[in-house]
Amino acid sequence: MTGIAAIESIEGEEVTLLQALPRGQRRRITTRLPLVASVDEAAASPRQLAFAKARRGAISEQQPVAPRPDVDSAGWQWQDARSRPKRLKVARAKTAADRFKQATAKAQGGKGQIIRNDPQAAAQAIYDLLVEEGVLRK
């Protein structure tokens, strides 16, 4: 879990968390223990008393716990992650007029070519462009 703003309740093996979302929104999540969560910047900072108790604390007794089988992951299928395609051109205009000019302007590259009546050559030209831009690998 990422972006946790608060732990609302822990009842048995069920935890209710408050997740921080963009623009100040919050989402309530209920999940089972054990879990790994990261705290968001929107979470309340810990009180000074928490640091003092942590320094004074000591583990006096350890109790062995039998591991539980993870029944949820038995049905998962694992695969390698795919690389995401690279974004081609990003418009950096500040006004609508600037965006319109960028969208309607002619390309300054001069690399254009006209391929007529040859689908094989057109496909090869498209493939070469995608390799050049880094979208595909040879």
Side-chain angles (χ1 to χ4, degrees), residues 54-107:
R55 288 191 177 172
R56 285 194 309 265
I59 298 174
S60 60
E61 181 181 330
Q62 292 184 1
Q63 297 179 354
V65 177
R68 294 183 309 200
D70 189 2
V71 294
D72 293 334
S73 66
W76 294 349
Q77 293 181 357
W78 294 91
Q79 66 184 22
D80 292 336
R82 295 180 298 179
S83 61
R84 292 188 176 182
K86 179 180 138 185
R87 285 187 174 220
L88 295 177
K89 295 178 184 173
V90 178
R92 303 226 182 257
K94 296 187 187 227
T95 65
D98 291 340
R99 285 192 298 272
F100 182 74
K101 283 180 189 176
Q102 286 180 351
T104 58
K106 287 188 177 181

Side-chain angles (χ1 to χ4, degrees), residues 4-7 18 20 26 39-47 50-51:
I4 301 302
I7 298 174
L18 194 63
R26 300 287 189 259
V39 179
D40 194 77
E41 294 174 352
S45 56
R47 295 182 292 176
F51 296 109

